[in-house]
């Protein structure tokens, strides 16, 4: 992370601590309520520059026998940290993701993920997250990520027609 960081200011219209973070896309694999095969993460705003999330570790997420697949865990970290830019302004997309796997995560448990903004410089937002199974003093995984803020209309303009929600987005784009 660079030394010279911008001041962090919570956006006045973002979710308040304890409130759900607003959905960025109902078809999102990570948190979309309408995603047919998604992780169905629930993500809430925390105090300051934090969010916290829960995810049931379901049978289909299995990698090694009886434990979560590392890619599923990485997706969960990606999506939860991906909510953080919304606390301070426009949405961001992941440009870098790093995960440390500390302990096996059993199928059938609820995974808790706590994520926070470490700093911001221009469009770059530096984030970290920790996962545990209910006891924050016993982390099972950690992650770091870098997110870059984008103008969503511009960024997704060439792709939005591929979305399961293409029509909704088309309607939204034509709204004044
Ligand atoms: C049409 C209507 C649509 C409506 C949609 C509505 C709602 C949607 C809302 C929100 C959706 C947003 C987020 C979704 C949230 C969660 C999902 C999980 C997150 C993801 O899963 S998301 C998917 C994976 N993600 C990508 O699909 C990104 C692919 N990527 C790119 O599209 C470009 O890469 C882009 C545009 C990001 C930047 O490109 P660019 O040309 O605009 O800017 P540039 O390259 O200059 O980078 C600017 C500064 O980032 C630094 N930088 C770049 N790369 C770096 C790296 N790897 N490490 C460290 N720093 C890096 C540079 O060094 C520079 O830094 P500096 O300011 O210091 O110069």
């Amino acid at each position: 992370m660079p030394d010279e960081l911008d001041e962090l200011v919570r956006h006045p219209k973002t979710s308040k601590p304890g409130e759900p973070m607003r959905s960025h896309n109902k078809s999102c694999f990570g948190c979309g309520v309408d995603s047919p095969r998604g992780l169905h993460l629930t993500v809430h705003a925390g105090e300051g520059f934090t969010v916290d999330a829960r995810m049931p570790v379901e049978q289909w997420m299995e990698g090694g026998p009886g434990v979560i697949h590392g890619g599923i865990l990485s997706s969960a970290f990606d999506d939860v940290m991906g909510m953080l830019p919304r606390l301070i302004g426009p949405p961001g997309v992941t440009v870098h993701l790093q995960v440390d796997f500390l302990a096996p995560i059993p199928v059938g448990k609820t995974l808790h993920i706590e994520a926070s903004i470490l700093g911001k410089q221009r469009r770059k937002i530096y984030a970290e997250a920790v996962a545990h199974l209910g006891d924050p003093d016993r982390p099972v995984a950690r992650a770091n990520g870098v997110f870059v803020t984008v103008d969503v209309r511009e960024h997704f303009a060439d792709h939005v027609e591929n979305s399961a929600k293409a029509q909704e987005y088309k309607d939204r784009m034509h709204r004044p």
Side-chain angles (χ1 to χ4, degrees):
M1 191 164 69
D3 291 334
E4 301 226 329
L5 296 172
D6 306 339
E7 191 193 349
L8 292 179
V9 181
R10 201 165 158 125
H11 194 280
K13 288 190 177 161
T14 196
S15 304
K16 298 197 168 34
E19 286 180 358
M21 291 297 287
R22 273 189 292 279
S23 172
H24 63 89
N25 175 10
K26 286 185 185 149
S27 294
C28 173
F29 172 73
C31 57
V33 289
D34 294 342
S35 175
R37 288 176 287 275
L39 305 181
H40 299 136
L41 281 154
T42 50
V43 190
H44 287 82
E47 298 288 340
F49 305 101
T50 67
V51 298
D52 52 85
R54 286 182 189 208
M55 183 185 82
V57 183
E58 295 171 357
Q59 196 78 70
W60 69 268
M61 299 175 176
E62 184 167 326
V67 298
I68 198 170
H69 189 284
I72 294 282
L73 179 63
S74 304
S75 296
F77 273 131
D78 182 24
D79 199 71
V80 176
M81 290 194 289
M83 296 282 185
L84 290 167
R86 304 299 296 271
L87 291 174
I88 58 173
V93 291
T94 322
V95 294
H96 179 77
L97 178 67
Q98 184 177 317
V99 180
D100 292 311
F101 302 88
L102 308 178
I105 298 172
V107 166
K109 299 280 187 186
T110 298
L111 190 68
H112 301 241
I113 297 181
E114 291 160 13
S116 49
I117 299 177
L118 296 173
K120 173 181 181 297
Q121 188 194 55
R122 296 185 284 278
R123 292 167 57 203
K124 301 179 303 248
I125 294 166
Y126 295 85
E128 70 172 5
V130 61
H132 60 82
L133 298 174
D135 179 356
D137 293 332
R138 300 179 68 183
V140 292
R142 291 184 192 283
N144 281 89
V146 185
F147 297 80
V148 171
T149 57
V150 291
D151 175 331
V152 286
R153 280 178 187 252
E154 202 178 287
H155 185 78
F156 295 107
D158 291 343
H159 311 289
V160 72
E161 68 187 278
N162 303 316
S163 171
K165 304 279 176 197
Q167 190 57 47
E168 278 181 35
Y169 286 122
K170 210 182 276 180
D171 294 346
R172 206 192 289 182
M173 272 163 73
H174 290 117
R175 237 179 271 156

